[in-house]
Amino acid sequence: MKPANIGIVGCGAISGIYLTNIAEMFGNITVRGVCDLVDEKAEYAARQYNVRKYRDMHEIFADAEIDIVLNLTRPYEHFDVTVAAINAGKHVYSEKPLGATLDEGTKLRDAAAKNGVCIAGAPDTFLGAGIQTCKKLIDDGFIGHPVSATAFMACPGHEHWHPDPAFYYQFGGGPMLDMGPYYITALVELLGRVRNVSGMVTKAHPTRTITSKEKYGTVVEVEVPTHVTGQMAFESGAVATMVTSFDVRAHNLPIIEIYGTEGTLTVPDPNGFGGPVLLFRPQQGEFLQMPLMYEHSANCRGLGLSEMAAALRAGRKPRAGVDLTYHVLEVMTAFTRSSDSKAHVEIGL
C-alpha cells in the first residue's frame, strides 16, 4: 500500500529524529519534502535525507501529493502554520502544544471540522511501551482503584544547554506548555479526562542570560510564568498534584506516581517511549520493576504521525487526535487561568 506523503514545515532541532524515524521505522509514511524560514536548514535537511526542498510552506500546501503537513515550528508559530494548512485542505500533525492559547486551540479545532480535515499532534510518547504498560497494570487492577497521583517536572531552565532557548521564555513557552503536554497526556491516558483545575503560577527572574555556546551572554526577557503548580480533579474521581518549573536547581522528586487503594505505580519519564515501570504492592513489600508489555520503547518520534496516517486510511480518529490535544491544552492553560481568577476552572464547559 502506498505510504502517505508528509510535508515538513520547520527544520529545527526536533526535525532530525522525525526525518530519521520516518525513513527507517515507519513504512506507512514517507517525507516528500521540507521547508524552513532559514533556507540553509531546509537545504541541509533536503540534502541529508534526499527529499525535496520547498520554497515555503504555501508551496507544500499547494502540492496535491502531500497528504499530511507535519508542523515542527516553534510553539508560538504553531497556530499560523496549522490554520493555513487546514484552510488549504490539508491534514496536520503538529508538535506540541496544539496552540499557544486555548483560543488558538478552539479556532484550530473548529477550522478543521469546517474544512473536513484531521488534526493531531505530539506528544505521542503515551503510545509507547512505558505508558501503555502502566495503563495495562492499572486497568488490570494491580494498584486497585486509582485515588491520586503526583507529577513533577522541575529543572533550572534550558538556557544553559539549548542553542537557541529564547522561545522557552516567550509567548507560547514556559514549563507548562513546554513539558506539560507529556505529563498531562500521560495522566489522561492513565486516569481519564480532567474535570477541573486549581493552579498558582509565578516566575523567579524577569530575565534569563543564555550561557550555552551559540548565544552566550544574550539576555532574554521572561514573558511567561516559569513555575506552575496546582491540582487536577479527574472524572474518574482521582486527584493529582502537578509542578512544572524552570526555577528548580535540583530535587529528589518522582516523575509521575499513581497511588491506588492496593498499591503504587511509578511511571517512567513521559518524554520517552520506554523507561522503568515500578510497581509496589503490600504483598511484596517493595517496588519491583515490571517488564514492558508493548512495542516502541526506543525514541519513536513520529509514532503518532504514523498512527494518524493509519487512522485516516481506516476512516477512524487518530489516538493523538484533536480530542486529546485540545483537552490537554485546555487543562494546561487552566493553571494560569485559575491562578489569575483565584478560582477552580471547570474543564470542557
Side-chain angles (χ1 to χ4, degrees):
M1 193 173 291
K2 182 182 175 184
N5 284 319
I6 310 300
I8 297 180
V9 180
C11 298
I14 195 68
S15 65
I17 190 63
Y18 275 98
L19 284 157
T20 297
N21 285 353
I22 292 171
E24 300 177 0
M25 193 176 291
F26 305 112
N28 69 332
I29 50 177
T30 186
V31 176
R32 181 170 171 85
V34 301
C35 75
D36 194 280
L37 290 174
V38 180
D39 197 59
E40 292 80 5
K41 290 183 179 181
E43 285 276 8
Y44 176 81
R47 185 171 63 253
Q48 193 80 357
Y49 294 92
N50 193 30
V51 297
R52 176 178 173 183
K53 182 180 81 69
Y54 289 90
R55 181 175 62 254
D56 55 30
M57 67 179 187
H58 300 290
E59 189 175 15
I60 289 181
F61 304 158
D63 187 344
E65 296 298 313
I66 294 292
D67 298 302
I68 304 172
V69 172
L70 175 56
N71 182 357
L72 300 183
T73 58
R74 289 166 291 192
Y76 61 83
E77 297 168 324
H78 286 176
F79 176 80
D80 288 342
V81 174
T82 298
V83 77
I86 289 171
N87 289 335
K90 297 297 185 184
H91 304 297
V92 182
Y93 186 94
S94 176
E95 252 304 321
K96 49 79 185 173
L98 174 65
T101 65
L102 183 60
D103 182 61
E104 286 188 353
T106 301
K107 289 176 179 176
L108 291 175
R109 181 191 62 182
D110 294 348
K114 179 181 178 181
N115 285 275
V117 300
C118 179
I119 53 175
D124 54 3
T125 48
F126 77 97
L127 298 171
I131 303 300
Q132 289 304 307
T133 295
C134 291
K135 181 173 174 57
K136 174 70 171 170
L137 291 169
I138 292 173
D139 291 348
D140 287 352
F142 277 83
I143 64 168
H145 177 70
V147 176
S148 61
T150 54
F152 299 107
M153 193 302 298
C155 70
H158 300 336
E159 64 269 27
H160 313 293
W161 63 270
H162 196 283
D164 190 15
F167 71 91
Y168 287 109
Y169 303 102
Q170 296 168 344
F171 173 71
M176 180 57 77
L177 287 184
D178 176 40
M179 294 301 294
Y182 299 107
Y183 287 71
I184 294 175
T185 299
L187 288 170
V188 169
E189 179 72 358
L190 298 175
L191 299 175
R193 294 174 74 85
V194 176
R195 186 178 70 244
N196 62 59
V197 171
S198 177
M200 298 184 75
V201 307
T202 188
K203 63 181 177 183
H205 310 285
T207 62
R208 297 280 184 132
T209 301
I210 298 174
T211 56
S212 57
K213 179 181 177 181
E214 290 80 358
K215 296 196 173 183
Y216 184 88
T218 301
V219 176
V220 177
E221 297 288 333
V222 178
E223 302 174 359
V224 294
T226 50
H227 189 93
V228 180
T229 182
Q231 287 74 44
M232 293 171 283
F234 292 80
E235 292 177 356
S236 63
V239 295
T241 296
M242 185 171 186
V243 174
T244 63
S245 182
F246 289 161
D247 295 330
V248 175
R249 293 295 173 182
H251 66 85
N252 289 310
L253 296 166
I255 296 174
I256 297 178
E257 285 190 340
I258 312 292
Y259 311 109
T261 55
E262 303 296 332
T264 295
L265 188 64
T266 299
V267 179
D269 186 347
N271 193 14
F273 289 81
V277 174
L278 304 178
L279 175 67
F280 176 90
R281 287 164 59 84
Q283 298 92 321
Q284 285 73 46
E286 62 179 333
F287 281 93
L288 299 177
Q289 184 165 339
M290 297 291 102
L292 299 180
M293 293 182 274
Y294 297 90
E295 296 180 311
H296 307 302
S297 61
N299 188 343
C300 300
R301 305 280 177 188
L303 177 59
L305 176 62
S306 174
E307 197 279 334
M308 178 188 188
L312 288 170
R313 184 153 280 159
R316 59 174 175 81
K317 291 183 178 181
R319 293 180 66 185
V322 71
D323 289 348
L324 177 60
T325 57
Y326 182 84
H327 180 67
V328 170
L329 179 63
E330 186 175 12
V331 172
M332 292 192 297
T333 56
F335 283 85
T336 298
R337 288 184 283 134
S338 172
S339 183
D340 291 345
S341 65
K342 299 180 175 61
H344 290 302
V345 172
E346 299 295 321
I347 302 300
L349 294 183

